[in-house]
Amino acid sequence: MEKILTQQLRFVDESGRTRLFNGMNIDDKNRDNSEFCYNLDEAFFKKYKAFGFNIIRLAVTWQHLEPEMYKYNESYLKSLDKIFDLAEKYGVYILLDMHQDLYSGNDGQSVGDGAPSWAVITDGAKPRMPIFVWADGYFFGKWVHRSFDHFWNNSFVKGVGLQDRYCDLWKMLAGRYGNKPALFGYDLMNEPFPGSESKRMFARLIASAAKNIAFNKKFNRGKMAKSLVKGDTASLLDCIGGNAIRDIVGKIDSYSEKFDLKKYSPFLNKTTAAIREVTPNGIVMMEQSYICNSGVKQSAPPITVNGEREPLQCFGPHSYDIMVDTPLYQYANADRVKAFFNEMRNTQLRLDVPVIVGEWGGCSDNKDTSWFPHAYELLEYFDENQWGQMYWDYHGDDLDSPLMTMLSRTYPVAVAGKINSYGFNRSEGVFRLCFTADKSGESLIYVHAPIEELKGEKYSVKEEYENGASLISIKTKAGEHSLEIKISK
């Protein structure tokens, strides 16, 4: 496997080819495990590769890795070792994600995950189970707010700062996996949360939403009233369009900026420095805070180590429709979500780094196909921006579910040059790619179904899969290149 590097807005390999990544989140949120919860064996990887997936966001938690202070869970780590080895065999990259939701599961007292109980300081606030949706602890949970406050302040536990111990954990992982060929990189913390400062953010956000709905001309209040009277939920939700999103959420940009500059950025720099003490390998992924998932401006600067810009870094935004985690997700609005992602595109351009969308999707039932039109719009949007993506999330049997008809698609895996444009037109069954090469090279394209015709270039089949898909090779010289693949429906 070639080492993956970064070059401004592109991922590149050691041959200088543009690389794109297509995959899924596979997470372990169980409280106490001696090994990773899913059996990612040879059969899994063979099928995963056949559907065109070449990366996994492997989500683990601090509790799994260090259930007792200073004692790493060796049996769990050995199960990760096996995943890395099989990933290498099948050419699948691993992004290690240190996952958290609500900071911690608090030994089963909340639905969260992340930190072990010894790393939780709530100042007496009692954890509880959710009232509405799992995330309501972010809005109302003093125990969540105080836990994050202590983490960002590096409060001491047994004479050691919480962040210092967290950095030691990442150093251990970097030492263990930094030289693994399958390593893509490190996602330092899933959806970091500001802590107590969020109370003012949420209050300001609610006030802004109410004011905009009442007075902003972008809202069709007549249509909203009719939808309410008729009980037409889909129509009502569509009244909150993408064109008004920034009008609402922009009111808390300054609060988010304060967190990003004073808390989140120093954490990124500190944790990355700890990893770089151990290895120069692996791309460091910057996320945005949980608050920014809905289009609030992200303000963290590029990651630096000892005052120098970290050369291997990328941005991994997350976003879902506002109805995520509820039965109303069937009414998800792609225009709204693309508005969220438009702000994240601004962040990418400001940071001058490549992007893999770390999380998107969010349909709780992976066998439900009613929301696929929404998903198709987002996939097209990612292609337009030349973004990789990792779907949330794997449930254990998804490689045999209808979900694959949406996620498995033709895309360029490696391109010997700079991509000008690419995309798959589902209605036509046609994939198109245009790129510019400054030297001879080999490009690889994953094709999810048998090829009827390929125009523009000659190709050879590099790998064939049992599901009718293939990985094809195209060898080109310097210059402009365009190709079109007609795919069997």
Coordinates of all heavy atoms in Angstrom, one line a residue, residues 6-57:
T6 N -0.6 14.6 1.7 CA -1.5 15.7 1.3 C -0.8 16.8 0.5 O 0.5 17.0 0.6 CB -2.1 16.4 2.6 OG1 -1.0 17.0 3.3 CG2 -2.9 15.4 3.4
Q7 N -1.5 17.4 -0.4 CA -0.9 18.5 -1.3 C -2.1 19.5 -1.5 O -2.9 19.3 -2.3 CB -0.5 17.9 -2.6 CG 0.3 18.8 -3.4 CD 0.8 18.2 -4.7 OE1 0.2 18.2 -5.8 NE2 2.0 17.5 -4.6
Q8 N -2.1 20.5 -0.7 CA -3.1 21.5 -0.6 C -4.5 20.8 -0.5 O -4.7 20.2 0.5 CB -3.0 22.4 -1.9 CG -1.7 23.3 -1.9 CD -1.6 24.2 -3.0 OE1 -1.5 23.7 -4.2 NE2 -1.6 25.5 -2.8
L9 N -5.4 21.0 -1.5 CA -6.7 20.4 -1.4 C -6.8 19.0 -1.8 O -7.9 18.4 -1.8 CB -7.7 21.2 -2.3 CG -7.7 22.7 -2.0 CD1 -8.8 23.4 -2.9 CD2 -8.1 23.1 -0.6
R10 N -5.7 18.3 -2.1 CA -5.7 16.9 -2.6 C -5.0 16.0 -1.6 O -4.0 16.3 -1.0 CB -5.0 16.8 -3.9 CG -5.6 17.6 -5.1 CD -5.0 17.3 -6.4 NE -3.5 17.5 -6.4 CZ -2.6 16.8 -7.1 NH1 -3.0 15.8 -7.8 NH2 -1.4 17.2 -7.0
F11 N -5.5 14.7 -1.6 CA -4.7 13.6 -1.1 C -3.9 13.1 -2.3 O -4.5 12.9 -3.4 CB -5.6 12.5 -0.5 CG -6.4 12.9 0.7 CD1 -7.7 13.1 0.7 CD2 -5.7 13.1 1.9 CE1 -8.4 13.5 1.8 CE2 -6.4 13.4 3.1 CZ -7.8 13.6 3.0
V12 N -2.7 12.8 -2.0 CA -1.9 12.2 -3.1 C -1.1 11.0 -2.5 O -0.9 10.8 -1.3 CB -0.8 13.2 -3.7 CG1 -1.5 14.3 -4.3 CG2 0.1 13.7 -2.6
D13 N -0.7 10.0 -3.4 CA 0.1 8.9 -2.9 C 1.6 9.2 -3.3 O 1.9 10.2 -3.8 CB -0.4 7.6 -3.5 CG -0.5 7.6 -5.0 OD1 0.3 8.3 -5.7 OD2 -1.3 6.8 -5.6
E14 N 2.4 8.2 -3.0 CA 3.8 8.4 -3.2 C 4.2 8.5 -4.7 O 5.3 9.0 -5.0 CB 4.6 7.2 -2.6 CG 4.5 7.2 -1.0 CD 5.0 5.9 -0.4 OE1 4.4 4.9 -0.6 OE2 6.0 6.0 0.3
S15 N 3.3 8.1 -5.6 CA 3.5 8.2 -7.0 C 3.0 9.6 -7.5 O 3.1 9.9 -8.7 CB 2.7 7.1 -7.8 OG 3.2 5.9 -7.3
G16 N 2.4 10.4 -6.6 CA 1.9 11.7 -7.0 C 0.5 11.7 -7.6 O 0.1 12.8 -8.0
R17 N -0.2 10.6 -7.5 CA -1.5 10.5 -8.0 C -2.5 11.1 -7.0 O -2.4 10.9 -5.8 CB -1.9 9.0 -8.3 CG -1.0 8.4 -9.3 CD -1.5 6.9 -9.6 NE -1.3 6.1 -8.4 CZ -1.6 4.8 -8.4 NH1 -2.0 4.2 -9.5 NH2 -1.4 4.1 -7.3
T18 N -3.6 11.7 -7.5 CA -4.7 12.2 -6.7 C -5.4 10.9 -6.2 O -5.7 10.0 -7.0 CB -5.6 13.1 -7.5 OG1 -4.9 14.2 -8.0 CG2 -6.8 13.5 -6.7
R19 N -5.7 10.9 -4.9 CA -6.4 9.8 -4.3 C -7.7 10.2 -3.7 O -7.9 11.3 -3.1 CB -5.5 9.1 -3.2 CG -4.2 8.6 -3.7 CD -4.4 7.4 -4.7 NE -5.1 6.3 -4.1 CZ -4.4 5.2 -3.6 NH1 -3.1 5.1 -3.7 NH2 -5.0 4.2 -3.1
L20 N -8.7 9.3 -3.9 CA -10.1 9.6 -3.3 C -10.5 8.4 -2.5 O -10.1 7.2 -2.8 CB -11.1 9.8 -4.4 CG -11.0 11.2 -5.1 CD1 -11.7 11.2 -6.5 CD2 -11.5 12.3 -4.2
F21 N -11.3 8.6 -1.5 CA -11.6 7.6 -0.5 C -13.1 7.5 -0.3 O -13.8 8.5 -0.2 CB -10.9 7.8 0.8 CG -9.4 7.8 0.7 CD1 -8.6 8.9 0.4 CD2 -8.7 6.6 0.7 CE1 -7.3 8.9 0.2 CE2 -7.3 6.5 0.5 CZ -6.6 7.7 0.3
N22 N -13.5 6.2 -0.2 CA -14.9 5.9 -0.2 C -15.1 4.8 0.9 O -14.5 3.7 0.8 CB -15.4 5.4 -1.5 CG -16.9 5.2 -1.7 OD1 -17.6 6.0 -1.2 ND2 -17.3 4.2 -2.4
G23 N -15.9 5.0 1.9 CA -16.0 4.0 3.0 C -17.1 4.2 4.0 O -18.0 4.9 3.7
M24 N -16.9 3.6 5.1 CA -18.0 3.6 6.1 C -17.3 3.8 7.5 O -16.1 3.5 7.7 CB -18.8 2.3 6.2 CG -19.5 2.0 4.9 SD -20.5 0.4 5.0 CE -21.8 1.0 6.0
N25 N -18.1 4.3 8.4 CA -17.7 4.3 9.8 C -18.1 2.9 10.4 O -19.2 2.4 10.2 CB -18.6 5.3 10.6 CG -18.0 6.7 10.4 OD1 -17.2 7.2 11.2 ND2 -18.5 7.4 9.3
I26 N -17.1 2.3 11.1 CA -17.4 1.1 11.9 C -17.0 1.4 13.3 O -15.8 1.6 13.6 CB -16.6 -0.1 11.3 CG1 -17.0 -0.3 9.8 CG2 -17.0 -1.4 12.0 CD1 -16.3 -1.4 9.1
D27 N -18.0 1.4 14.2 CA -17.7 1.9 15.5 C -18.1 0.9 16.6 O -18.9 0.0 16.4 CB -18.6 3.2 15.8 CG -20.1 2.9 15.7 OD1 -20.6 2.6 14.6 OD2 -20.7 2.9 16.8
D28 N -17.4 1.0 17.7 CA -17.6 0.2 18.9 C -17.9 1.1 20.0 O -17.0 1.7 20.6 CB -16.4 -0.7 19.2 CG -16.6 -1.7 20.3 OD1 -17.7 -1.6 20.9 OD2 -15.7 -2.5 20.6
K29 N -19.2 1.2 20.4 CA -19.6 2.0 21.5 C -20.0 1.2 22.7 O -20.6 1.8 23.7 CB -20.8 2.9 21.1 CG -20.5 3.9 20.0 CD -21.7 4.8 19.7 CE -21.4 5.8 18.7 NZ -22.5 6.8 18.5
N30 N -19.8 -0.1 22.7 CA -20.1 -0.9 23.8 C -19.3 -0.5 25.1 O -18.2 0.1 24.9 CB -19.9 -2.4 23.6 CG -20.8 -2.9 22.5 OD1 -21.8 -2.3 22.2 ND2 -20.5 -4.1 22.0
R31 N -19.8 -0.7 26.2 CA -19.2 -0.2 27.4 C -17.9 -1.0 27.7 O -16.8 -0.3 27.9 CB -20.1 -0.3 28.6 CG -21.1 0.8 28.7 CD -22.0 0.6 29.9 NE -21.3 0.5 31.1 CZ -21.7 -0.1 32.2 NH1 -22.9 -0.6 32.3 NH2 -21.0 -0.2 33.3
D32 N -18.0 -2.3 27.8 CA -16.8 -3.0 28.3 C -16.5 -4.2 27.3 O -17.3 -5.1 27.2 CB -17.0 -3.6 29.7 CG -17.2 -2.5 30.7 OD1 -16.4 -1.7 30.8 OD2 -18.3 -2.5 31.3
N33 N -15.5 -4.1 26.6 CA -15.1 -5.1 25.6 C -13.7 -5.6 25.8 O -12.8 -4.8 26.0 CB -15.3 -4.6 24.1 CG -16.7 -4.6 23.6 OD1 -17.6 -5.2 24.3 ND2 -16.9 -4.1 22.5
S34 N -13.5 -6.8 25.5 CA -12.1 -7.4 25.5 C -11.5 -7.3 24.1 O -10.4 -7.5 23.9 CB -12.1 -8.8 26.1 OG -12.9 -9.7 25.3
E35 N -12.4 -7.1 23.1 CA -12.0 -7.0 21.7 C -13.0 -6.2 21.0 O -14.1 -5.9 21.5 CB -11.8 -8.4 21.1 CG -13.1 -9.2 21.1 CD -12.9 -10.6 20.5 OE1 -11.7 -11.1 20.6 OE2 -13.8 -11.2 20.0
F36 N -12.6 -5.7 19.8 CA -13.5 -4.9 19.0 C -14.8 -5.6 18.7 O -14.8 -6.9 18.5 CB -12.8 -4.5 17.6 CG -13.5 -3.5 16.9 CD1 -13.4 -2.1 17.2 CD2 -14.3 -3.8 15.8 CE1 -14.0 -1.1 16.5 CE2 -15.0 -2.8 15.0 CZ -14.8 -1.4 15.4
C37 N -15.9 -4.9 18.7 CA -17.3 -5.6 18.8 C -17.6 -6.3 17.5 O -18.4 -7.3 17.5 CB -18.3 -4.6 19.1 SG -18.6 -3.3 17.9
Y38 N -17.1 -5.9 16.3 CA -17.4 -6.5 15.1 C -16.3 -7.4 14.6 O -15.1 -7.1 14.8 CB -17.7 -5.5 14.0 CG -18.9 -4.7 14.1 CD1 -18.9 -3.4 14.4 CD2 -20.2 -5.3 14.1 CE1 -20.0 -2.6 14.6 CE2 -21.3 -4.6 14.2 CZ -21.3 -3.2 14.5 OH -22.4 -2.5 14.7
N39 N -16.6 -8.6 14.1 CA -15.6 -9.5 13.6 C -15.3 -9.2 12.1 O -15.9 -9.6 11.2 CB -16.2 -11.0 13.7 CG -15.2 -12.0 13.1 OD1 -13.9 -11.7 13.2 ND2 -15.6 -13.1 12.6
L40 N -14.3 -8.3 12.0 CA -13.9 -7.8 10.6 C -12.9 -8.8 10.1 O -11.7 -8.6 10.2 CB -13.4 -6.4 10.7 CG -14.3 -5.4 11.3 CD1 -13.7 -4.0 11.2 CD2 -15.7 -5.4 10.7
D41 N -13.4 -9.9 9.6 CA -12.5 -11.0 9.2 C -12.2 -11.0 7.7 O -12.6 -10.0 7.0 CB -13.1 -12.4 9.6 CG -14.5 -12.6 9.0 OD1 -15.0 -11.7 8.2 OD2 -15.2 -13.5 9.4
E42 N -11.6 -12.0 7.1 CA -11.3 -12.1 5.7 C -12.6 -12.0 4.9 O -12.6 -11.2 3.8 CB -10.6 -13.5 5.4 CG -9.3 -13.6 6.0 CD -8.2 -13.6 5.0 OE1 -8.4 -13.2 3.8 OE2 -7.0 -13.8 5.4
A43 N -13.6 -12.6 5.2 CA -14.9 -12.6 4.5 C -15.4 -11.1 4.4 O -15.9 -10.7 3.4 CB -15.9 -13.5 5.1
F44 N -15.3 -10.4 5.5 CA -15.8 -9.0 5.6 C -15.0 -8.2 4.6 O -15.5 -7.5 3.8 CB -15.7 -8.5 7.0 CG -15.7 -7.0 7.0 CD1 -17.0 -6.3 7.0 CD2 -14.6 -6.2 7.0 CE1 -17.0 -4.9 7.0 CE2 -14.6 -4.8 7.0 CZ -15.9 -4.2 7.0
F45 N -13.6 -8.3 4.7 CA -12.8 -7.4 3.9 C -12.9 -7.7 2.4 O -12.9 -6.8 1.6 CB -11.3 -7.5 4.3 CG -11.0 -6.5 5.5 CD1 -10.9 -7.0 6.8 CD2 -10.8 -5.2 5.2 CE1 -10.6 -6.1 7.8 CE2 -10.5 -4.3 6.3 CZ -10.4 -4.8 7.6
K46 N -13.1 -9.0 2.1 CA -13.2 -9.4 0.7 C -14.5 -8.7 0.1 O -14.5 -8.1 -1.0 CB -13.3 -10.9 0.6 CG -13.4 -11.4 -0.9 CD -13.3 -12.9 -0.9 CE -13.3 -13.4 -2.3 NZ -13.3 -14.9 -2.4
K47 N -15.6 -8.8 0.9 CA -16.8 -8.2 0.4 C -16.8 -6.6 0.4 O -17.3 -6.0 -0.5 CB -18.0 -8.7 1.3 CG -19.4 -8.3 0.8 CD -20.5 -9.0 1.6 CE -20.5 -10.5 1.4 NZ -21.7 -11.1 2.0
Y48 N -16.2 -6.1 1.5 CA -16.0 -4.6 1.6 C -15.3 -4.0 0.4 O -15.7 -3.0 -0.2 CB -15.3 -4.3 2.9 CG -15.3 -2.9 3.4 CD1 -16.5 -2.4 4.0 CD2 -14.2 -2.1 3.3 CE1 -16.5 -1.1 4.5 CE2 -14.3 -0.7 3.7 CZ -15.4 -0.3 4.4 OH -15.4 1.0 4.8
K49 N -14.2 -4.7 0.0 CA -13.4 -4.2 -1.1 C -14.2 -4.4 -2.4 O -14.1 -3.5 -3.3 CB -12.1 -5.1 -1.2 CG -11.1 -4.6 -2.2 CD -10.5 -3.3 -1.8 CE -9.5 -2.8 -2.9 NZ -8.3 -3.7 -3.0
A50 N -15.0 -5.4 -2.5 CA -15.8 -5.7 -3.7 C -16.8 -4.6 -4.0 O -17.2 -4.3 -5.1 CB -16.5 -7.0 -3.7
F51 N -17.3 -3.9 -2.9 CA -18.2 -2.8 -3.0 C -17.5 -1.5 -3.3 O -18.2 -0.4 -3.3 CB -19.2 -2.8 -1.8 CG -20.2 -3.8 -1.9 CD1 -20.3 -4.8 -0.9 CD2 -21.2 -3.8 -2.9 CE1 -21.3 -5.7 -0.9 CE2 -22.2 -4.8 -2.9 CZ -22.2 -5.8 -1.9
G52 N -16.2 -1.5 -3.4 CA -15.5 -0.3 -3.8 C -15.0 0.5 -2.6 O -14.6 1.7 -2.8
F53 N -15.1 0.0 -1.4 CA -14.7 0.7 -0.2 C -13.2 0.6 0.0 O -12.7 -0.6 0.0 CB -15.5 0.3 1.0 CG -17.0 0.4 0.9 CD1 -17.8 -0.6 1.2 CD2 -17.5 1.6 0.5 CE1 -19.2 -0.5 1.1 CE2 -18.9 1.7 0.4 CZ -19.7 0.7 0.7
N54 N -12.5 1.7 0.3 CA -11.1 1.6 0.5 C -10.6 2.3 1.7 O -9.4 2.5 1.9 CB -10.3 2.2 -0.8 CG -10.7 3.6 -1.0 OD1 -11.5 4.2 -0.4 ND2 -10.0 4.2 -2.0
I55 N -11.5 2.6 2.6 CA -11.2 3.2 3.9 C -12.2 2.9 4.9 O -13.4 2.7 4.6 CB -11.0 4.8 3.8 CG1 -10.3 5.3 5.0 CG2 -12.3 5.5 3.5 CD1 -9.8 6.8 4.9
I56 N -11.8 2.8 6.2 CA -12.7 2.6 7.3 C -12.4 3.6 8.4 O -11.2 3.8 8.7 CB -12.5 1.2 8.0 CG1 -13.0 0.1 7.0 CG2 -13.3 1.1 9.3 CD1 -12.6 -1.3 7.5
R57 N -13.4 4.3 8.8 CA -13.2 5.2 10.0 C -13.5 4.3 11.2 O -14.6 4.0 11.5 CB -14.1 6.4 10.0 CG -13.9 7.3 11.2 CD -14.7 8.6 11.0 NE -14.6 9.5 12.1 CZ -15.6 9.8 13.0 NH1 -16.8 9.3 12.9 NH2 -15.4 10.7 13.9

